[in-house]
Amino acid sequence: MFINSNINVGFFYNKERYCILRKIGAENKMIQKALCQRVGIFFFMLILLEIIHSVFGIWFSNNFLGNIISGFNLWIVIATIVFLVGIYFLATYLESKRIIGFE
């Protein structure tokens, strides 16, 4: 979560950079694509970290507490993480677009 809290703060500092891109003639579609890629990279790292953390947490609990979580439940956990982080990604992307002036 610390990574993502820095994403929104970073857009306040980079708003000027996106304005400069607009001034030198970059199309809005190109700027939005760059913004989506930038936010996407941070969220991909977040999803990867959360999945690794969940897999090791489930492995640890299965080895030390007994087999209480099946492989099927692991996929439910991963799907839930991807879904929730996906919603968070969408909200962050839309808010970032608003901050730099697309909406």
Side-chain angles (χ1 to χ4, degrees):
M1 291 300 172
F2 177 73
I3 293 171
N4 290 323
S5 64
N6 285 330
I7 292 173
N8 285 334
V9 172
F11 285 113
F12 287 112
Y13 298 116
N14 291 320
K15 181 178 180 179
E16 297 164 2
R17 291 181 184 176
Y18 289 106
C19 290
I20 290 171
L21 285 174
R22 218 180 258 145
K23 287 179 185 177
I24 63 172
E27 296 177 1
N28 283 342
K29 187 174 182 178
M30 182 186 301
I31 296 171
Q32 288 179 0
K33 183 178 177 183
L35 177 66
C36 184
Q37 288 174 345
R38 181 172 181 207
V39 174
I41 288 170
F42 286 107
F43 276 91
F44 177 75
M45 291 184 332
L46 177 68
I47 286 176
L48 189 62
L49 181 66
E50 288 181 357
I51 289 174
I52 290 170
H53 180 263
S54 297
V55 167
F56 278 111
I58 290 171
W59 175 81
F60 178 81
S61 64
N62 280 342
N63 284 338
F64 292 101
L65 301 176
N67 196 8
I68 58 172
I69 300 175
S70 68
F72 178 72
N73 290 336
L74 175 64
W75 289 109
I76 292 173
V77 169
I78 291 173
T80 303
I81 290 170
V82 170
F83 176 73
L84 292 174
V85 173
I87 291 172
Y88 190 32
F89 166 78
L90 184 62
T92 302
Y93 173 67
L94 294 175
E95 182 65 17
S96 301
K97 279 177 55 175
R98 188 192 64 77
I99 289 171
I100 61 175
F102 283 112
E103 294 177 357

